Structures are given as structure tokens and as C-alpha cells.
Amino acid sequence: MKIKAEFSGGLELIFKSKEVSVEVEENGSFAVKDLVKKLKELILERPEFFLTTTDEIRPGILVLVNDADWEIHDKENTILENNDTVSFIST
């Protein structure tokens, strides 16, 4: 399964890219919180701009799943499917 993560509002600086593709095995469900764990491994510096000390998305970062606010889904528990796009926008 392939998930695309997009970054803007300054987050692209800590990921050194405006977007990354994450490949995951299709055995079991894969949620936004699982994507965040994988993305944490890609942060080269200043992870505190993206995550809190408890590895939650920092306040002030808008998260969209396929262009819809994750708040109308199930936030970090939103189950992702093949070719979904998750956007992280620092406000």
C-alpha cells in the first residue's frame, strides 16, 4: 500500500521535501498515527516543530486526509487506504 504525505507552511523544511511516499505492507489496518510514526523517522532536525514530546501532532498543524479535515474522520485513528494523501500544514 502506498500513502503520500504532503508538507507545507514550513514543515517541508524539516522533512527536506514537500512530499514523500510511504510504502506499507497491506496486512492489517494502517492509521494516521502509524503514518506519523514512520514520518518521525524521516525528520532530520527539529522534530519538536512537528510532534509533541508524546509523539502527537503539534497544535497548530492542520491535518487533511484526502483534502478533508481529519477532525471529521477519526483524527489519528483514521484508517488509510492505498493511494490516500495526508497533508500536514503548519498554520
Side-chain angles (χ1 to χ4, degrees):
M1 178 166 67
K2 184 176 175 182
I3 306 294
K4 182 167 77 169
E6 299 177 330
F7 311 102
S8 61
L11 292 175
E12 67 275 12
L13 299 174
I14 63 171
F15 285 97
K16 307 289 188 215
S17 178
K18 288 190 176 196
E19 68 180 52
V20 297
S21 290
V22 176
E23 294 280 341
V24 295
E25 294 181 22
E26 291 195 45
N27 51 352
S29 60
F30 188 77
V32 172
K33 64 184 173 187
D34 301 313
L35 175 63
V36 169
K37 287 178 189 174
K38 289 206 172 273
L39 293 175
K40 182 181 176 184
E41 299 170 6
L42 301 177
I43 299 174
L44 301 175
E45 56 187 49
R46 307 298 295 220
E48 66 274 13
F49 288 161
F50 184 61
L51 300 171
T52 65
T53 55
T54 57
D55 288 344
E56 295 176 359
I57 298 292
R58 282 203 84 64
I61 295 179
L62 177 64
V63 181
L64 305 175
V65 178
N66 298 322
D67 295 324
D69 192 334
W70 74 336
E71 302 251 345
I72 64 170
H73 294 290
D74 197 13
K75 295 180 84 171
E76 65 273 354
N77 296 313
T78 302
I79 301 299
L80 300 173
E81 298 178 0
N82 190 37
N83 294 320
D84 276 352
T85 299
V86 181
S87 303
F88 299 90
I89 305 165
S90 182
T91 58

